[in-house]
Structure formats: structure tokens, C-alpha cells
Amino acid sequence: MEWNISRSGSLAATSAGAALAGTVRVLSALRPALKPLHPRGEVTAAVLRRTGEGPPTGVPWLDEPGRDEVLVRRSRAVGLPGGLPDIHGLALRVPCEAGGHGDLLMASTGTGRLGRFVLTAGRSSHARPMTTLLPYRTPAGPVTLAAVAAGDHAYELAYASVGGAWHRFGDLVLGTPRPGDALVSFDPVRNTVTGLENYAWVRRLREPAYRTARRSRRG
């Protein structure tokens, strides 16, 4: 099953991507010493244990059991003070067997058929489930990933087809904080987990904002 969109939808994604890049540009000017989005965060080493229990997707990382030493960054998207609701983010850096790494970014949403694609705010990174918001292309069709808190330092990871049921595929346990890596940059456009491909329209939507963010960091 494919989930490509029409030419008009592709143009809409391009326009939305340009608008998002403009927002990032403004935020970069307002706080040049920080990331434009998710400006402050806590980075920790973590262990991801994959169970290989769900229906096959054709993506070995989702389908096969295993253990990964990963890097996790938890952050607030807008950077509001801790007592105020904010959109929370969880970034996950996964080593790839062929070398390098893949980056996954999740933000607080719902988990329903529509809610998994809608950003929501909460007071902590445990208040709401988090999803990748946009689907990945896999041999089995479009798949969205989710992380649901299972304690202060643990998350259950799951995947689902568009509008389908969630299937748990792993447990993420956070370990030692790494304060020196607080500003490490995760890039889900350039760095993908093997088998989880970005749709062309997703790249059009995301790439301008990430390109702008990269330039602001170099500046």
C-alpha cells in the first residue's frame, strides 16, 4: 500500500514547508544562541529492547528482536517555563548496522485515528503519548511510530498503519544524563533508520525548516 499524494497535495506540502521554514527563521533571530525549536533539552544514554512481536512490516528494525544502545533527547518545543503546558518532544538516535545512525523525532499528540496526527500540549513529557506525526514508507505501507510513558524514565514503543491499531515493538529505558550533549542536533530528513523511508511530500514539508535550522546553528 502506498500513501503518495496528488500534485496539488505535493504543492501544498511545499508551501507548508516554506511557511515552516519562515517560522524557524524568525525564532532563530529571536534566540540566536539556542535551537529555534526545542531550544533546551535533556540528553541521556538509553537502552532499547526490541521484542519483534508485531505483524511484519518488512523493516528489520521493527520486525526483529534486538538490543540497541541509543541516545535520547527530551525537550519542550516552544521552550516555555516548566510549569506551563508545552508540546513535548522525544528524539531518538539509533545506530544502523551498515554504519552511521538514524534519527526519529516524536512530539506529543493523541493516539486515535486522527489524534495521532494532531499536536497537543502537556505539562510533562509523560502527560501525553508522542508520535512521529508523519508516516514513514515501509514495504507493508505507511507506518507511524509512537512512544508512551511507562514511568519517569521508560517508554513503550509501538507502530501502526495509518488509522490502524498500535503494535508494541520495544521498550526504551533511559539511563545516564549527558549534559555535554544537550544541544546535539537530530535530523530525521538526512538520517533515517534503515527501512523507514520519508515520502517525497514529507521531505518537501520538513526539509526547508531543517535546512534553515542547520544554517542558524552554523551562524
Side-chain angles (χ1 to χ4, degrees):
M1 174 186 171
E2 287 291 326
W3 209 48
N4 293 313
I5 59 177
S6 65
R7 185 172 181 273
S8 60
S10 179
L11 290 173
T14 301
S15 299
L20 233 120
T23 301
V24 170
R25 198 174 297 114
V26 170
L27 290 172
S28 298
L30 291 174
R31 46 192 186 200
L34 299 171
K35 293 169 176 285
L37 288 171
H38 296 273
R40 296 182 180 86
E42 178 190 62
V43 177
T44 61
V47 173
L48 170 58
R49 292 182 176 85
R50 294 177 281 113
T51 62
E53 294 175 349
T57 63
V59 180
W61 187 71
L62 296 177
D63 297 344
E64 299 173 2
R67 183 182 186 277
D68 300 315
E69 301 282 345
V70 301
L71 198 64
V72 172
R73 184 176 192 263
R74 295 191 291 183
S75 57
R76 298 165 67 86
V78 182
L80 297 174
L84 297 175
D86 203 334
I87 295 168
H88 290 263
L90 186 147
L92 182 65
R93 175 157 290 175
V94 180
C96 296
E97 286 189 6
H101 61 263
D103 291 339
L104 297 169
L105 269 62
M106 304 185 198
S108 50
T109 64
T111 53
R113 291 190 176 190
L114 296 178
R116 65 188 68 176
F117 305 114
V118 179
L119 292 170
T120 60
R123 295 184 183 276
S124 77
S125 59
H126 308 103
R128 302 288 301 165
M130 291 180 272
T131 72
T132 52
L133 201 66
L134 299 172
Y136 285 96
R137 177 193 283 144
T138 76
V143 162
T144 305
L145 308 184
V148 179
D152 289 343
H153 304 287
Y155 294 86
E156 290 185 358
L157 301 185
Y159 66 85
S161 60
V162 175
W166 292 100
H167 304 282
R168 177 174 161 272
F169 76 91
D171 296 298
L172 180 67
V173 179
L174 276 56
T176 308
R178 296 173 53 159
D181 292 329
L183 291 178
V184 65
S185 297
F186 294 77
D187 192 326
V189 178
R190 285 185 169 180
N191 308 320
T192 56
V193 175
T194 305
L196 294 174
E197 299 178 14
N198 284 309
Y199 285 96
W201 64 268
V202 171
R203 287 196 301 272
R204 290 190 186 97
L205 179 62
R206 277 182 155 169
E207 174 55 28
Y210 278 91
R211 185 168 57 244
T212 301
R214 290 181 210 121
R215 288 172 179 165
S216 74
R217 288 195 296 272
R218 285 198 296 269

